[in-house]
Structures are given as structure tokens and as C-alpha cells.
Amino acid sequence: MERPRIGIVTISDRASLGVYADESGPAIEAALRDYLATPCDYHTHVVPDEPPRIAAALRELAAAGCCLICTTGGTGPAPRDVTPEVIREVCSKELPGFGEQMRAASLRAGVPTAILSRQTAAILGSSLVVTLPGKPASIRVCLDAVFPAIPYCIDLIGGPRLEGNPAVVQVFRPKGK
């Protein structure tokens, strides 16, 4: 049986140019490897903050069968932060509760600038796309807040069954699911 695929897109002008190493993408993969008991294949892209490049990476990962695509970066208020706009352009259904939970978790963690974040989640074909902050330390805070709902959301959109690692996270599924 084929292993589920997960896509990770780092959206950063400087990381895409090699000015500094991408730390956010690897932080997402490390967190997901901790959360998931299901072995998965990870596919990564590093792209600049340019809408056509972001859209192409998302569409490529969805077409490759990634059931979950996590992005990092581009969710702030700066002029080149365009990830939410691209999400709205390429995805069919937005799930704003993800962003609400991530902002609330960041505020509880003592990050007063969390209110500036425009994180969200959406559906692209049969992929769940979750936008995460660009700071590696904030990634786990945000994923901790929303991961319990991710496997069931993937179930609902026809994706593979992902099992959580109960020693790390409690995945929510209605009884009998």
C-alpha cells in the first residue's frame, strides 16, 4: 500500500535565494513526524513570496496526491506577505477556524503580535492546506492547536486515514469513525 504524502512549502524570499537555510520547513516535518503514527512521505518546496510560484507549488503538491500541505511564511501584514491571498485564489473552500485556533494559541503563549497573523486553512482538490507562521518556534504552538482536527478533516475530504501518535497528541474523530 502506498504511503500517504504530505507537502511542505516554505514561502520566503531569502530562504529561496539561499541567503539563509530554511528552518521552518524542517520544523514542520519534525512536528508532523512526532504527531503521526502513520508513516508518510514528505515533499518539500522553498519558494519566494511571489503568488505564481506559491500557487504552482500548492497545485503541484495537490496533484501529486499530498493529503496535507503545510505552508510556512507569508501570513503577516507586510506587503510581500501574500500567502492567504494565494490560498483564496487556488483553493475551493476556506476553513477559518484553523486560523482562529492558531492565533488564540499564540496569544496564550504570550505572543502579542499573533493578532497580526492571517493564518488559515483551505481545501485544494482532495488536499487540506494549512498555513503556518514563518518562525520555527511558533510552528509547534500553532500545530499543537489544530492538529487534533487534521486527520478527521482529511477523512472528510476523502484522503487516507492518518493515525496520531497517542503519546504526543490526541486526534479527534467522532465515535465509530
Side-chain angles (χ1 to χ4, degrees):
M1 188 157 113
E2 195 172 305
R3 289 164 42 131
R5 294 184 183 118
I6 294 177
I8 299 171
V9 182
T10 299
I11 301 162
S12 166
D13 288 330
R14 292 177 289 171
S16 70
L17 292 171
V19 173
Y20 58 71
D22 172 24
E23 295 180 3
S24 300
I28 292 171
E29 184 173 339
L32 292 175
R33 286 184 185 276
D34 284 349
Y35 296 147
L36 288 166
T38 304
C40 297
D41 291 331
Y42 294 84
H43 303 268
T44 61
H45 290 276
V46 179
V47 299
D49 292 276
E50 296 174 7
R53 299 282 302 275
I54 299 166
L58 294 172
R59 287 182 177 122
E60 178 183 322
L61 291 167
C66 291
C67 61
L68 172 63
I69 302 168
C70 292
T71 71
T72 175
T75 59
R80 291 202 44 90
D81 290 335
V82 295
T83 302
E85 288 77 15
V86 175
I87 295 299
R88 286 182 196 100
E89 174 190 320
V90 302
C91 294
S92 62
K93 193 177 288 188
E94 195 167 358
L95 303 169
F98 279 82
E100 294 163 7
Q101 282 298 107
M102 289 186 277
R103 282 185 288 282
S106 293
L107 286 167
R108 283 191 301 276
V111 181
T113 56
I115 61 171
L116 302 176
S117 169
R118 299 179 309 126
Q119 289 152 218
T120 191
I123 306 301
L124 173 56
S126 57
S127 302
L128 171 62
V129 180
V130 178
T131 64
L132 296 164
K135 291 192 182 347
S138 298
I139 287 168
R140 184 134 344 213
V141 169
C142 290
L143 275 175
D144 282 350
V146 298
F147 188 82
I150 287 176
Y152 184 55
C153 182
I154 291 170
D155 293 349
L156 291 171
I157 62 174
R161 186 172 178 93
L162 299 178
E163 298 294 344
N165 176 353
V168 179
V169 66
Q170 295 302 312
V171 168
F172 171 79
R173 282 191 172 95
K175 292 197 184 303
K177 297 284 180 176

